[in-house]
Amino acid sequence: MYAQSLFLPILNREIFMWAFIWGGERHAAVGRTLAIPWYAVKFLGFQYRNVVWAQGIGRHTRENIAAWTYSDIKSVATVLGNNKFLLGDEPCLEDCTLFGFCGQLFWGFPASSPYSKFAKEEYPNLYAYANRMKDRYFPDWDQLIAKEKSA
């Protein structure tokens, strides 16, 4: 259990974040999310390209990044297994980290995301877990999202 609690923050910080952003839609998603002009997206994309190159993930092909990301999703779903929460029947600090990843995966990405679709179809335990956490800690989630979209 201790080892499981250690691997998740590292996986989330070092792999998921970079893989989702750089291996996904790259800076096109930034433009949609921030609603900024195309030239600003181009500038940010250029700057970001330097950052991901320095970090290391930018040195790999999109295919490799996608394969690693699918493998990482599988690893997390396997560790979770049939547990209600990551380390048992009650949530722990590591569940906060995992929920952050799952929230982005299931509700932060465009509906067309291949990663989200893969996780929902292949690992329903991960999707059920994300909904459990969401319902427990954010019972007003849908109202908050609706309010945000209408603003």
Side-chain angles (χ1 to χ4, degrees):
M1 295 287 227
Y2 180 71
Q4 292 172 348
S5 71
L6 291 178
F7 99 97
L8 191 61
I10 295 167
L11 186 67
N12 192 44
R13 194 173 47 242
E14 298 300 326
I15 299 171
F16 288 140
M17 183 190 84
W18 295 105
F20 282 166
I21 295 171
W22 191 247
E25 295 184 82
R26 300 192 179 183
H27 56 273
V30 172
R32 274 197 317 278
T33 304
L34 299 178
I36 56 178
W38 67 269
Y39 53 85
V41 172
K42 284 278 196 191
F43 176 75
L44 290 174
F46 176 75
Q47 297 301 320
Y48 194 70
R49 208 173 4 255
N50 292 336
V51 171
V52 295
W53 183 265
Q55 188 276 341
I57 197 91
R59 299 169 192 246
H60 300 282
T61 66
R62 285 182 108 157
E63 292 78 20
N64 283 348
I65 296 168
W68 296 332
T69 305
Y70 289 125
S71 176
D72 294 341
I73 291 169
K74 178 182 177 182
S75 296
V76 170
T78 301
V79 167
L80 181 62
N82 293 323
N83 292 339
K84 190 172 180 182
F85 297 101
L86 189 61
L87 299 178
D89 289 336
E90 290 298 318
C92 61
L93 181 62
E94 289 74 15
D95 284 297
C96 296
T97 301
L98 182 56
F99 179 68
F101 152 70
C102 289
Q104 188 65 27
L105 177 64
F106 296 123
W107 302 294
F109 282 4
S112 61
S113 165
Y115 299 135
S116 181
K117 183 178 177 186
F118 170 77
K120 283 180 184 176
E121 291 175 0
E122 298 294 322
Y123 301 102
N125 66 324
L126 198 55
Y127 188 58
Y129 164 83
N131 278 297
R132 230 180 348 271
M133 287 290 288
K134 178 178 72 129
D135 294 344
R136 183 173 183 146
Y137 292 103
F138 300 98
D140 57 348
W141 181 281
D142 294 329
Q143 293 87 358
L144 292 171
I145 298 300
K147 185 188 291 186
E148 180 71 24
K149 286 183 180 178
S150 67

